[in-house]
């Protein structure tokens, strides 16, 4: 061995020598990692990842800075007397971080009969037919702040079943509770299913446990180091452990197979065999992991910074997984080598020779199928529907979802907008603006000083405690009740109409709220989808070009994996399934980064066989037969880590992402094993002429001399 190989072998010997220290240290490091994990804040508000410089997000900051209001909830009260409501209002106002509770008694005394209240007040606060009233709860902390969620929980505890708290803060609180309950189960499901797959596909009953222990340690390290990032999203927290398990399992399998092969050649010295195995693994695993890391890093180019959150955590997880694979896992294997020997068994996976023969014999038919299926796959991929209303897909028995439905049933309110305008706007101009707003399709109610008092009644008649909540010397705030649900075409058109009206009267005026944020989310993520796709394909294309020093292979490999992605993302179009918006952005990148390794593995085998002088059919046959078991084991491990979570999760965003990843692993496996060999056989001449390392130098020299002599 010389050069890099010798360096890797020496590094492997050093790791073997320090196996006891590495093993003990790996366990001790779990303590600070666990502390870091516990102290990492989790963000349950997806909308908070929108760019800070867009108007809707700037408007949220103005609410906090100018009015001290970071969030609000609409509370629907069913069948309660005014006296009961007044008592409950006082209790709510006593809850920490509840800034104020606005009900009609802030405008008129509760002794005044409801029937003689102004129409604007009565219609805004009461539904007499349903015997329901509503109040607005204002919080001095932001929508997804821990303090806000704690306040929601406390309000629920002091209210009874007649009190329904709606709004995004309530939804975020329920997502937190649901996610915190489910995430530990995700890990258990992924581990059990991965253990079953590995037990059936490996040659030892015990080695899967060490794989999972090593990966588990890497996962804890990854989650623990997130404390330096400050916080992570609940999506990242839910997926990171499962994803890291799925995408880094290959590295453990490769180390084990390399160790077994080296041990067979040198049965008397297991330590030297492991040193060689570590050296081999570092070289191969680092090259393989680069494409996976590149796939996750491409998510960081999203304007919607949830991609940055997931991308950084997962890229870090892959790097940590590689380090643990070549340090912690070898230490475990050597320390428990005798137990591994006693639990070894014959590998249950067949050789799949019949599949290899079929593929190399019928490659033209498979290539034609590839071309034919590409069309419907592309159509499905480009036309799959996505949804942006995250609350609408949560379980219907969650308190916040029941409250949202109650609000819609009793007050016909599907969403709420906040309008901020100049408080010095002339009364006549304000009145005209409000008239136009009330005439916008779907606007159900308008709450605010100017809206409630009208142009003739002075603001001074209202108590300072109320006016200060909705107006100051710079801004006046109004709440618009809309019949339309968030993320619908109707509410998006309504937002456009409201913005147009507000901007005509006040160029600095703003329309903010969940519906406006979601509308921005739609436009931003549509752009992100294009950006991430281009970046991920470009980076992985470049890596393959550098690894194989080839012009043609990057095109072929990326095209084959993109074909698998198109099939995976196109299926929902034909099954009439609507996906969460984030799926269309991240799944293609994850599937490309995590499964291009299958294609690289087979390409390396094909390249080696061609370099050794095999003809194209023999080279492809050898590459396929030597790769098929590894590809199947890797794909099934990824499938096992994600499929069970997809079935179990009640959070549709998590469930849909996991099901897509599970299906994508199987589709990529099938495409690599069936289509890629066909591409090698058809484009063998092109590949050999545009790639380095496919022919021996002597053969190349002889060919050149022969061509010169013939000329």
């Amino acid at each position: 061995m010389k050069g890099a190989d010798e360096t890797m072998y020496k590094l492997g010997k050093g790791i073997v020598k320090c196996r006891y220290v590495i093993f003990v240290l790996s366990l001790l490091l779990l303590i600070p990692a666990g502390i870091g994990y516990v102290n990492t804040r989790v963000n349950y508000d997806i909308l908070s990842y929108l760019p800070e410089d867009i108007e809707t997000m700037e408007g949220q900051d103005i609410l906090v800075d100018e009015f001290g209001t970071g969030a609000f909830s609409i509370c629907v009260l069913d069948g309660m007397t005014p006296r009961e409501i007044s008592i409950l209002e006082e209790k709510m106002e006593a809850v920490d971080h509840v800034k104020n509770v606005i009900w009609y008694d802030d405008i008129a005394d509760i002794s005044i009969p409801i029937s003689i209240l102004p129409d604007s007040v009565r219609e805004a606060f009461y539904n007499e037919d349903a015997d329901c009233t509503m109040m607005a709860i204002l919080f001095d902390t932001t929508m997804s702040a821990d303090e806000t969620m704690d306040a929601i929980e406390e309000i629920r505890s002091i209210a009874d079943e007649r009190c329904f708290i709606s709004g995004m803060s309530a939804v975020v609180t329920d997502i937190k509770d649901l996610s915190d309950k489910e995430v530990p189960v995700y890990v258990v499901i992924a581990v059990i299913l991965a253990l079953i797959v590995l037990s059936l596909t490996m040659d030892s009953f015990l080695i899967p446990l060490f794989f999972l222990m090593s990966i588990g340690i890497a996962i804890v390290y990854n989650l623990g180091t997130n404390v330096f990032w400050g916080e992570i999203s609940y999506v990242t927290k839910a997926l990171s452990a499962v994803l890291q398990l799925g995408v880094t399992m290959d590295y453990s399998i490769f180390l084990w197979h390399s160790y077994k092969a080296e041990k067979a050649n040198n049965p008397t010295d297991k330590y030297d065999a492991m040193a060689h195995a570590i050296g081999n693994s570092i070289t191969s695993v680092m090259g393989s992991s680069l494409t996976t890391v590149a796939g996750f890093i491409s998510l960081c180019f999203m304007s919607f910074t949830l991609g940055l959150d997931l991308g950084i955590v997962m890229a870090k997880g892959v790097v940590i997984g590689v380090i643990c694979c070549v340090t912690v896992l070898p230490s475990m294997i050597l320390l428990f080598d005798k137990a591994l020997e006693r639990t070894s068994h014959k590998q249950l996976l067949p050789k799949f020779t019949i599949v290899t023969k079929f593929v190399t014999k019928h490659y033209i038919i498979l290539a034609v199928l590839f071309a034919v299926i590409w069309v419907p796959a592309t159509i499905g991929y480009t036309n799959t529907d996505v949804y942006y209303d995250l609350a609408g897909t949560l379980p219907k028995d969650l308190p916040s979802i029941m409250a949202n439905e109650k609000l819609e049933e009793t007050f016909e309110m599907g969403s709420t907008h906040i309008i901020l305008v100049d408080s010095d706007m002339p009364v006549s101009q304000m009145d005209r603006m409000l008239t136009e707003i009330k005439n916008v399709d779907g606007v159900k109610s308008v709450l605010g000083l100017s809206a409630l008092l009208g142009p003739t009644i002075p603001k001074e008649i209202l108590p300072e405690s109320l006016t200060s909540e909705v107006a100051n010397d710079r801004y006046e705030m109004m709440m618009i009740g809309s019949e339309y649900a968030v993320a619908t075409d109707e509410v998006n058109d309504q937002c456009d109409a409201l913005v147009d009206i507000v901007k005509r009267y006040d160029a600095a005026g703003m329309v903010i709220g969940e519906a406006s944020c979601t509308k921005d989310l739609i436009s931003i993520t549509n752009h992100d989808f294009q950006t991430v796709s281009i970046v991920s394909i470009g980076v992985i294309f470049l890596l393959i070009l550098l690894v194989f020093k080839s012009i043609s292979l990057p095109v072929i490999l990326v095209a084959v994996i993109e074909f698998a992605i198109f099939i995976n993302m196109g299926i929902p179009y034909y099954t009439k399934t609507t996906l969460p918006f984030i799926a269309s952005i991240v799944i293609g990148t994850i599937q490309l980064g995590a499964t291009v390794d299958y294609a690289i593995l087979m390409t390396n085998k094909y390249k080696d066989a061609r370099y050794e002088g095999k003809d194209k059919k023999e080279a492809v046959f050898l590459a396929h037969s030597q790769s098929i078991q590894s590809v199947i084991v890797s794909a099934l491990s990824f499938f096992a880590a994600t499929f069970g979570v997809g079935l179990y999760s009640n959070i549709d965003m998590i469930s849909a992402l996991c099901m897509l990843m599970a299906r994508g692993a199987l589709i990529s496996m099938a495409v690599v094993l069936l289509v890629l060999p066909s591409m090698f056989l058809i484009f063998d001449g092109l590949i050999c002429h545009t790639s380095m390392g496919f022919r021996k130098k002597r053969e190349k020299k002889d060919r050149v001399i022969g061509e010169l002599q013939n000329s």
Side-chain angles (χ1 to χ4, degrees):
M1 291 181 300
K2 291 184 179 181
D5 289 342
E6 186 175 355
T7 301
M8 293 299 102
Y9 172 68
K10 287 181 178 179
L11 180 59
K13 286 189 71 175
I15 291 170
V16 169
K17 185 178 180 180
C18 299
R19 59 191 179 277
Y20 291 104
V21 175
I22 290 172
F23 181 66
V24 173
L25 186 61
S26 69
L27 297 180
L28 291 175
L29 286 175
L30 289 174
I31 298 172
I35 294 171
Y37 171 71
V38 171
N39 287 283
T40 301
R41 186 181 182 275
V42 180
N43 187 348
Y44 298 89
D45 178 16
I46 293 297
L47 294 177
S48 67
Y49 290 96
L50 286 167
E52 294 181 356
D53 58 352
I54 61 175
E55 189 169 271
T56 46
M57 299 303 286
E58 290 176 348
Q60 301 282 358
D61 293 337
I62 290 173
L63 282 180
V64 176
D65 296 338
E66 297 290 334
F67 296 100
T69 300
F72 71 92
S73 288
I74 300 296
C75 180
V76 179
L77 303 163
D78 189 6
M80 295 181 70
T81 66
R83 182 60 183 162
E84 288 177 318
I85 297 170
S86 182
I87 293 171
L88 180 60
E89 181 183 8
E90 290 181 8
K91 291 181 179 179
M92 288 180 176
E93 288 176 335
V95 172
D96 285 344
H97 300 289
V98 171
K99 184 169 182 284
N100 200 356
V101 180
I102 299 176
W103 186 46
Y104 97 89
D105 67 348
D106 292 295
I107 302 170
D109 193 272
I110 61 172
S111 62
I112 298 175
I114 296 171
S115 58
I116 68 171
L117 290 173
D119 290 345
S120 58
V121 176
R122 187 173 66 253
E123 291 172 3
F125 288 101
Y126 271 100
N127 181 328
E128 296 179 62
D129 294 334
D131 191 20
C132 283
T133 185
M134 72 172 183
M135 58 173 61
I137 306 172
L138 307 182
F139 301 93
D140 60 15
T141 44
T142 55
M143 182 168 63
S144 59
D146 294 336
E147 295 85 355
T148 305
M149 291 187 282
D150 291 341
I152 292 283
E153 294 282 16
E154 188 173 346
I155 290 171
R156 285 174 174 170
S157 69
I158 64 177
D160 58 28
E161 68 279 356
R162 296 175 294 173
C163 179
F164 300 84
I165 303 171
S166 67
M168 272 307 294
S169 291
V171 171
V172 169
T173 302
D174 286 340
I175 289 175
K176 175 183 182 296
D177 293 340
L178 188 59
S179 178
D180 289 350
K181 290 175 185 175
E182 288 192 353
V183 167
V185 183
Y186 297 164
V187 177
V188 172
I189 291 172
V191 166
I192 290 173
L193 292 181
L195 193 60
I196 292 171
V197 169
L198 291 171
S199 297
L200 295 174
T201 55
M202 301 304 294
D203 56 359
S204 168
F205 290 116
L206 192 57
I207 192 61
L209 290 175
F210 291 111
F211 285 176
L212 293 173
M213 286 173 62
S214 172
I215 295 171
I217 289 171
I219 289 171
V220 175
Y221 292 167
N222 186 31
L223 294 176
T225 51
N226 289 334
V227 72
F228 300 109
W229 187 245
E231 67 174 27
I232 58 171
S233 75
Y234 80 92
V235 176
T236 301
K237 179 183 177 183
L239 292 179
S240 57
V242 174
L243 261 179
Q244 191 173 338
L245 173 63
V247 301
T248 62
M249 183 64 74
D250 296 0
Y251 313 145
S252 300
I253 294 170
F254 185 89
L255 176 83
W256 175 248
H257 285 162
S258 181
Y259 172 60
K260 295 286 286 187
E262 293 292 343
K263 198 175 178 184
N265 295 330
N266 187 10
T268 59
D269 192 346
K270 65 180 180 181
Y271 303 111
D272 188 64
M274 181 58 80
H276 281 289
I278 292 171
N280 296 336
S281 298
I282 290 174
T283 304
S284 301
V285 167
M286 284 182 66
S288 175
S289 64
L290 274 177
T291 56
T292 308
V293 170
F296 288 123
I297 289 295
S298 65
L299 293 174
C300 300
F301 289 85
M302 292 172 60
S303 302
F304 183 58
T305 55
L306 178 64
L308 175 67
D309 187 79
L310 181 61
I312 290 292
V313 172
M314 284 314 307
K316 174 162 61 73
V318 172
V319 173
I320 292 173
V322 169
I323 294 171
C324 287
C325 172
V326 297
T327 57
V328 178
L329 181 59
S331 302
M332 289 181 176
I333 291 172
L334 290 175
L335 291 173
F336 299 96
D337 184 67
K338 291 182 179 179
L340 289 169
E341 289 287 348
R342 289 195 297 269
T343 58
S344 62
H345 61 83
K346 185 178 179 181
Q347 193 165 343
L348 300 178
L349 273 183
K351 295 294 184 182
F352 297 105
T353 307
I354 189 171
V355 178
T356 302
K357 289 180 178 178
F358 176 85
V359 170
T360 51
K361 182 178 180 181
H362 301 288
Y363 69 94
I364 297 295
I365 296 174
L366 293 171
V368 171
L369 284 174
F370 167 71
V372 170
I373 296 173
W374 187 282
V375 176
T378 304
I379 292 172
Y381 175 77
T382 54
N383 290 283
T384 294
D385 289 330
V386 298
Y387 67 80
Y388 294 85
D389 180 15
L390 305 180
T393 58
L394 292 171
K396 300 301 180 185
D397 59 351
L398 291 180
S400 59
I401 305 305
M402 294 170 64
N404 287 346
E405 291 179 352
K406 185 72 174 178
L407 181 63
E408 187 172 356
E409 288 173 8
T410 54
F411 290 95
E412 297 180 351
M413 284 178 59
S415 58
T416 306
H417 312 295
I418 299 291
I419 290 179
L420 290 172
V421 293
D422 188 347
S423 59
D424 291 331
M425 184 184 294
V427 174
S428 59
Q429 192 172 318
M430 180 77 77
D431 188 48
R432 289 196 302 272
M433 183 185 72
L434 290 172
T435 300
E436 288 192 45
I437 289 174
K438 290 174 183 177
N439 290 330
V440 172
D441 288 344
V443 169
K444 181 67 178 174
S445 62
V446 181
L447 291 176
L449 290 184
S450 299
L452 291 174
L453 296 172
T456 59
I457 304 175
K459 298 178 182 179
E460 287 72 22
I461 71 166
L462 293 177
E464 170 65 21
S465 60
L466 175 61
T467 58
S468 62
E469 296 293 350
V470 293
N472 61 20
D473 58 350
R474 296 185 62 192
Y475 296 97
E476 181 169 333
M477 177 176 66
M478 285 170 278
M479 188 179 296
I480 311 297
S482 171
E483 296 178 6
Y484 303 139
V486 171
T488 58
D489 292 337
E490 292 84 1
V491 84
N492 290 337
D493 291 341
Q494 187 183 71
C495 286
D496 287 336
L498 292 173
V499 169
D500 179 64
I501 293 169
V502 170
K503 294 294 185 183
R504 279 193 282 110
Y505 288 93
D506 178 6
M510 298 179 179
V511 179
I512 61 178
E514 183 189 356
S516 297
C517 286
T518 304
K519 183 176 180 294
D520 287 337
L521 177 68
I522 294 171
S523 59
I524 288 169
T525 52
N526 283 340
H527 176 265
D528 281 344
F529 174 71
Q530 302 296 330
T531 302
V532 170
S533 296
I534 292 170
V535 171
S536 61
I537 291 172
V539 171
I540 291 178
F541 184 96
L542 182 62
L543 285 173
I544 296 172
L545 186 150
L546 294 174
V547 168
F548 289 106
K549 298 178 177 60
S550 168
I551 298 172
S552 56
L553 280 173
V555 177
I556 293 171
L557 267 60
V558 170
V560 167
I561 297 298
E562 283 295 310
F563 174 59
I565 293 169
F566 278 28
I567 293 175
N568 189 26
M569 293 298 293
I571 288 173
Y573 171 73
Y574 296 102
T575 59
K576 307 298 181 185
T577 303
T578 304
L579 300 176
F581 73 94
I582 196 69
S584 61
I585 304 172
V586 305
I587 285 298
T589 301
I590 292 172
Q591 189 174 342
L592 176 62
T595 62
V596 74
D597 292 349
Y598 310 163
I600 291 174
L601 172 66
M602 187 178 293
T603 304
N604 270 320
K605 303 287 186 184
Y606 163 61
K607 175 184 175 181
D608 292 344
R610 288 297 276 144
Y611 184 78
E612 290 170 2
K614 305 290 191 300
D615 63 36
K616 67 177 184 180
K617 279 202 170 183
E618 188 178 3
V620 172
F621 186 93
L622 287 172
H624 192 277
S625 60
Q626 292 172 5
S627 304
I628 187 168
Q629 283 192 334
S630 297
V631 171
I632 289 174
V633 172
S634 177
L636 289 180
S637 299
F638 197 178
F639 174 82
T642 51
F643 179 70
V645 175
L647 285 180
Y648 172 79
S649 180
N650 286 303
I651 303 174
D652 190 66
M653 179 178 285
I654 306 300
S655 176
L657 286 171
C658 285
M659 292 302 286
L660 283 166
M661 287 188 283
R663 187 172 66 205
L666 297 183
I667 292 172
S668 290
M669 175 189 74
V671 169
V672 167
L673 293 178
L674 299 177
V675 175
L676 186 59
S678 305
M679 298 297 103
F680 289 159
L681 288 166
I682 292 172
F683 297 105
D684 178 77
L686 176 66
I687 293 170
C688 291
H689 281 87
T690 58
S691 311
M692 295 179 65
F694 278 78
R695 288 181 176 152
K696 290 184 178 179
K697 292 181 180 179
R698 180 74 243 175
E699 291 175 357
K700 290 181 181 179
K701 184 177 179 181
D702 291 344
R703 177 173 52 80
V704 172
I705 293 172
E707 289 174 355
L708 290 173
Q709 290 174 342
N710 291 333
S711 63

